[in-house]
């Protein structure tokens, strides 16, 4: 244990995802030794991100305006919606340049053991969108792991009731157990173009 603010910093950093106690300590001491200007810049972007970034009121992606750039873009196909878990997955799919539709960000995956059920995800918003927008195909692109699979199965069941709606899933070939964001562009692009109806 360190004294006061140093330990507070280590504790705060340790609460971030993927940062264990050792990394938290390393980052804390890096910041202590850093130039004041560098620390100020970090402080500023942290503040900006909390004040200036919102979640798109249509798709749930991160955005600087109430509606994100993709949802505002009239050139994007409104009839096609790709459902992903997190905003970082939007970036992963965008990188493939294979997809010209729009997105729906769930905000996670079903994980009953951690208390994440359908109500904790943006499922209701998705169903409402399908009810009102002219969506003809929903591509389910959840992560290729246990939670992602469970989420996909649940969504397929919920979407079955919409007449005329084509529900598809990414083709297999993505490395199992991983995150969508770790798939390379080519593999993800192929999974996207080879998607299959459910
Ligand atoms: Zn949006």
């Amino acid at each position: 244990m360190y004294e006061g603010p140093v330990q507070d910093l280590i504790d705060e950093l340790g609460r971030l995802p993927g940062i264990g106690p050792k990394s938290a300590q390393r980052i804390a001491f890096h910041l202590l030794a850093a130039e004041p200007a560098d620390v100020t810049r970090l402080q500023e972007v942290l503040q900006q991100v909390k004040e200036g970034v919102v979640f798109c009121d249509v798709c749930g992606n991160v955005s600087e305006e109430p509606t994100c750039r993709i949802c505002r873009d009239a050139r994007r196909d409104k009839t096609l919606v790709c459902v992903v878990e997190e905003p970082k997955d939007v970036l992963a799919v965008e990188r493939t340049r294979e997809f010209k539709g729009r997105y729906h960000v769930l905000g996670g995956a079903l994980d009953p053991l951690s208390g994440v059920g359908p109500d904790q995800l943006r499922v209701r918003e998705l169903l409402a969108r399908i009810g009102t927008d002219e969506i003809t195909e929903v591509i389910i692109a959840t992560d290729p792991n246990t939670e992602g699979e469970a989420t996909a199965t649940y969504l397929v069941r919920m979407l079955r009731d919409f007449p005329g709606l084509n529900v598809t899933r990414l083709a297999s070939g993505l490395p199992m157990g991983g995150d969508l964001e770790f798939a390379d562009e080519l593999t993800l692009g192929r999974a996207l173009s080879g998607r299959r109806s459910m």
Side-chain angles (χ1 to χ4, degrees):
M1 290 292 276
Y2 296 92
E3 274 179 43
V6 178
Q7 188 60 44
D8 291 345
L9 179 58
I10 294 172
D11 291 344
E12 287 305 320
L13 291 168
R15 269 194 263 278
L16 300 174
I19 300 198
K22 274 193 178 156
S23 302
Q25 193 170 320
R26 203 167 63 232
I27 297 168
F29 281 100
H30 169 83
L31 291 171
L32 271 179
E35 292 293 329
D38 291 340
V39 179
T40 306
R41 208 164 47 242
L42 178 63
Q43 212 172 356
E44 281 166 2
V45 294
L46 284 175
Q47 200 166 0
Q48 281 160 9
V49 91
K50 281 318 282 180
E51 287 169 0
V53 179
V54 293
F55 292 98
C56 171
D57 52 18
V58 178
C59 73
N61 193 12
V62 288
S63 174
E64 284 177 61
E65 303 198 24
T67 306
C68 79
R69 201 172 346 121
I70 294 173
C71 288
R72 286 199 314 263
D73 188 344
R75 289 165 302 181
R76 308 278 308 214
D77 189 350
K78 271 181 117 166
T79 65
L80 197 57
V81 169
C82 181
V83 179
V84 295
E85 293 181 17
E86 307 280 355
K88 61 185 165 56
D89 302 323
V90 171
L91 284 183
V93 176
E94 284 297 283
R95 274 200 302 265
T96 68
R97 298 171 181 279
E98 280 281 336
F99 184 66
K100 297 286 169 262
R102 301 189 179 186
Y103 293 92
H104 190 85
V105 182
L106 292 170
L110 290 179
D111 187 4
L113 292 179
S114 308
V116 183
D119 289 344
Q120 278 69 48
L121 305 175
R122 297 181 70 256
V123 173
R124 210 178 306 118
E125 288 86 342
L126 174 65
L127 301 180
R129 267 182 90 180
I130 295 167
T132 53
D133 285 349
E134 58 256 65
I135 296 166
T136 57
E137 182 182 350
V138 173
I139 304 169
I140 301 176
T142 49
D143 284 346
N145 56 31
T146 316
E147 293 80 17
E149 288 297 315
T151 310
T153 307
Y154 174 80
L155 289 177
V156 168
R157 212 168 60 226
M158 298 300 287
L159 297 173
R160 217 174 261 162
D161 298 334
F162 288 91
L165 180 70
N166 190 15
V167 182
T168 56
R169 284 208 58 190
L170 295 184
S172 47
L174 294 173
M176 266 310 281
D179 264 327
L180 210 62
E181 59 164 331
F182 298 139
D184 65 275
E185 285 118 82
L186 200 65
T187 310
L188 186 52
R190 277 195 196 129
L192 201 58
S193 55
R195 64 186 184 271
R196 58 190 200 281
S197 274
M198 297 305 291

